[in-house]
Amino acid sequence: MEPLFSIRGLRYLDILAYPDLDIQQGQTTFLQGESGAGKSTLLKLLNATLNPSAGQVFYLGQDILTLDTLALRREAILVAQDAWLFPGSIRDNFTHYRAYRGEGPLDDRLLRDSLHTCALDLPLETDSKVLSGGERQRVFLAICLAFSPRALLMDEPTSALDEATAHTLFTRLTSCARERGISLVAVSHDKALASHFAQRVITITGRVSA
């Protein structure tokens, strides 16, 4: 099977240099490494939010520079730590993000299912302005999950969560991903979480050049 992503000779701003590696389809992959190793930057390079200064990123065997960038980002959705939500309710946010992509609203049951998978059982009428940082991130993750992408690229998705909630999130998310054929790629410093849920752990050793 063709890897989901492959990187070869990848560098960013002549500051970070990455080893050649492959990320496989249909797996839960954790990216770990020291602070400053370039894990979050790598996620942005994978879906062309950032452009490399050297080397190549391949998505399903194709150089991403030859692909439609918006189409790539729709298939490989980046879920950043600082999730941006529209003013209004949780339901409004699902609606706004779907409208932005030219898609109609979903039935409330499907919205609740998506939130439940992301360990967030809040009323759809809840105003986004009252949500904590961790809740906002999970609402955005639920919105992304509802698009049924090929891959979710998640930057520290449990950093604002307690251990029990983090475990619940990944239990439900990995189960859903297996059912839908979604690949999960997560940057996380939580070694216990990776040990329990990761099918592969990749240690990132991006380094500052001399």
Side-chain angles (χ1 to χ4, degrees):
M1 182 183 294
E2 192 81 55
L4 179 69
F5 289 104
S6 299
I7 65 173
R8 299 291 183 266
L10 190 63
R11 298 174 70 92
Y12 179 65
L13 295 181
D14 294 325
I15 297 172
L16 294 170
Y18 295 94
D20 293 351
L21 61 86
D22 297 327
I23 297 174
Q24 301 301 325
Q25 296 185 54
Q27 291 189 349
T28 297
T29 301
F30 273 62
L31 305 180
Q32 299 196 319
E34 298 297 325
S35 296
K39 302 180 297 297
S40 298
T41 298
L42 179 57
L43 290 187
K44 296 174 182 178
L45 290 165
L46 292 179
N47 86 331
T49 298
L50 296 176
N51 293 319
S53 56
Q56 293 173 289
V57 177
F58 297 92
Y59 173 68
L60 298 175
Q62 294 182 276
D63 189 326
I64 64 170
L65 295 181
T66 70
L67 301 176
D68 181 290
T69 301
L70 291 180
L72 170 64
R73 292 175 186 167
R74 288 180 177 223
E75 289 200 12
I77 299 180
L78 177 62
V79 185
Q81 289 190 61
D82 298 323
W84 192 88
L85 297 180
F86 291 94
S89 68
I90 291 175
R91 182 190 288 107
D92 291 337
N93 272 273
F94 274 93
T95 300
H96 287 321
Y97 271 105
R98 295 187 68 81
Y100 179 75
R101 288 183 46 159
E103 300 185 26
L106 292 174
D107 181 89
D108 280 2
R109 178 183 60 80
L110 296 177
L111 303 189
R112 294 189 188 96
D113 286 348
S114 187
L115 289 170
H116 179 75
T117 298
C118 295
L120 192 65
D121 295 305
L122 290 176
L124 295 174
E125 296 77 19
T126 304
D127 196 312
S128 65
K129 69 183 179 182
V130 305
L131 300 176
S132 68
E135 288 171 338
R136 293 175 68 86
Q137 190 177 33
R138 278 178 286 158
V139 167
F140 186 67
L141 178 58
I143 292 168
C144 295
L145 182 64
F147 286 121
S148 292
R150 188 181 291 266
L152 284 172
L153 312 178
M154 302 174 290
D155 192 1
E156 296 286 0
T158 63
S159 60
L161 305 181
D162 60 77
E163 183 178 351
T165 304
H167 193 279
T168 298
L169 169 62
F170 263 90
T171 297
R172 295 176 183 175
L173 187 59
T174 52
S175 176
C176 177
R178 284 193 300 271
E179 291 175 3
R180 299 191 195 179
I182 300 172
S183 303
L184 302 178
V185 182
V187 167
S188 175
H189 287 94
D190 192 328
K191 293 184 177 180
L193 203 65
S195 176
H196 192 88
F197 292 102
Q199 292 168 283
R200 185 184 180 198
V201 176
I202 298 175
T203 300
I204 298 301
T205 56
R207 59 186 180 278
V208 177
S209 303

